[in-house]
Each structure stands twice: as structure tokens, then as C-alpha cells.
Amino acid sequence: LEHHEHPQQLSLLRKWIAVIVISSASLCVAYASSLICLIRGVANEFGVGHVVTILSISLFVEGLGLGPLLVGPLSEVYGRNAVYRMSYGLFFVFSWPVAFAPNIAVHLIFRFVTGFCGSAFLSVAGGSVSDLFSDHAVANPMALYTISPFIGPVLGPLLSGFINQHLDWRWTYHVEVIWIFIEFIALLILVPETYVPVLTKRKAKQVRKATANKRHWAPIEKESKCLVKAIAVSCYRGI
């Protein structure tokens, strides 16, 4: 890449907008993990006990823990944006069965799936922040991103409790689906690709196509990357 094409050469406003979108997307995922005040409504509608409804939280958090083992290696091969868009797109789609679940089994299964899909922002997003800012300027944006997963679990009971004072428990998930959709659109429009090896790969492809010269290859294209091996290593390190 040429110097002006590096992600760190974007305008300060553009970089901060990207960080704010990524951080708010992380906040949304963390918020979804702690919708604890819904337990009574879920138990009454589906006729299950307190222990079963607690699984709504436990399975989501389990998905958050297992997801990075997969999405971490994927970001090193396909870039940050591909993972963000796939992750949040699936997070949006699979939140519908949670919101409109006909029984407790569907509700719990898709709580786990949505946790798994949303986990990219707890493992990959920090890489985007460090891609955008140099070492001496990364502290403030990294602090903003880092605090969002800690605020989310606190915000969950507060907002869901407020929503459910006068509305059905499902409205908490309806609001969440709307929030996810807005975040997904913002990710598509406002967050650029920041992973330099992938940007270099795209540039090399453009040069080969424009010049018909097959000698231009990015370093990442020359590396022998085995995705299955990378995921296995990631799982091993996590364990």
C-alpha cells in the first residue's frame, strides 16, 4: 500500500466515527447478554421454572465465549469487515426467532446462536482500533471500545426493566432487533476495512487486472494459510 492508502491516514473524524460505530455495536452485544428481568415473563409464558429461564443468559454468554475461537482466525484471512458484516448480519437474523419464539426450546437455542454470532466484537474489534490509530494515539479510542462491553451488562437490566414496566417481555427483544438493524447499516456504511494485509491483497488484484501483469502478489496471497489449522490453534490456545 502507498502511504496515503494506509488506514491510519484517514481523517481523524472518519476514524473516530468508525470507532464509535464499532464500540456501540459491541455495547449492543453486551447489552443483549444481560436481559435478566425477562426471566419472570419467559417463565410465565412458557410454563418453565426459574433454573430453565436462567439458561437464556447462560447460553448467550457461552456463545460469546466460544465464538471468538472461530471468528478470530477468520478475521486474519478475510479481514475485519467481512467478519463484522457476517457476524452482525447473522446476529440480526437469528434474533428474530428469539423475539418470536413459540416455545422455550427455540428461545434458548437461538439465544446461544445469537451470542455466538455477536461475539466478533469482543475479539476482532480491538484489532480495528489498533489498525486505525498509531501507538501513541490509540489509548483514547481503545479506552472507548474497551469500556463498551463492561457497560452493556449493566445497561441490559436497566433498559429491559424500563421497557417491561408496561409492555410484554417480547418487546425487549423487539427493541434489540431494531438496535441491531441500525448498527448493521452503520457498519456497512461507516466502517472501512482496516486490516492492512487484506487491503494490500485487494490492491494487488487491482494492479494485476489493470496491467495484466501476474507478477504482483500481496504477501498474504503467498502464504499457505490453512483455516482449519488456524481455528484448531485458536481453540487450543483458548483451552
Side-chain angles (χ1 to χ4, degrees):
L1 286 179
E2 296 183 23
H3 181 70
H4 70 277
E5 296 175 314
H6 196 281
Q8 293 184 4
Q9 300 306 311
L10 294 171
S11 69
L12 187 61
L13 176 62
R14 181 79 187 279
K15 290 191 287 187
W16 268 103
I17 289 174
V19 170
I20 290 171
V21 171
I22 292 170
S23 300
S24 61
S26 304
L27 177 65
C28 180
V29 174
Y31 157 82
S33 71
S34 63
L35 303 179
I36 194 167
C37 75
L38 302 178
I39 287 177
R40 183 176 298 176
V42 174
N44 292 339
E45 177 158 341
F46 295 137
V48 295
H50 179 77
V51 173
V52 176
T53 54
I54 285 290
L55 285 172
S56 177
I57 299 171
S58 303
L59 290 173
F60 189 96
V61 174
E62 185 178 358
L64 286 181
L66 294 175
L69 300 177
L70 173 64
V71 298
L74 286 176
S75 71
E76 300 296 322
V77 178
Y78 300 108
R80 318 292 192 204
N81 266 5
V83 172
Y84 292 153
R85 292 169 181 177
M86 177 185 67
S87 171
Y88 234 73
L90 294 176
F91 186 39
F92 173 70
V93 169
F94 291 131
S95 290
W96 286 82
V98 175
F100 296 95
N103 54 61
I104 190 64
V106 172
H107 178 78
L108 294 179
I109 289 170
F110 283 97
R111 278 289 285 173
F112 171 79
V113 173
T114 51
F116 188 93
C117 293
S119 64
F121 289 84
L122 303 183
S123 60
V124 179
S128 290
V129 177
S130 60
D131 290 340
L132 287 167
F133 291 87
S134 60
D135 291 344
H136 73 275
V138 77
N140 288 336
M142 187 63 77
L144 175 64
Y145 161 70
T146 304
I147 201 173
S148 58
F150 292 96
I151 295 177
V154 179
L155 196 63
L158 291 175
L159 290 183
S160 58
F162 176 76
I163 293 169
N164 281 270
Q165 282 184 336
H166 304 290
L167 297 173
D168 183 73
W169 67 269
R170 293 182 185 271
W171 267 99
T172 300
Y173 287 111
H174 297 166
V175 172
E176 180 196 1
V177 168
I178 294 170
W179 187 358
I180 295 170
F181 177 74
I182 294 171
E183 291 289 354
F184 181 62
I185 298 301
L187 286 168
L188 291 177
I189 297 174
L190 301 174
V191 178
E193 178 59 61
T194 62
Y195 191 48
V196 172
V198 169
L199 292 174
T200 305
K201 178 182 176 180
R202 292 178 184 175
K203 181 69 176 293
K205 286 183 177 180
Q206 293 174 356
V207 172
R208 289 199 300 270
K209 184 177 181 180
T211 63
N213 188 339
K214 304 300 182 181
R215 297 173 57 188
H216 299 282
W217 295 88
I220 194 173
E221 294 178 287
K222 297 179 180 180
E223 297 175 5
S224 178
K225 285 186 176 288
C226 177
L227 187 57
V228 175
K229 181 179 179 182
I231 293 172
V233 171
S234 178
C235 292
Y236 172 76
R237 289 176 176 173
I239 293 172

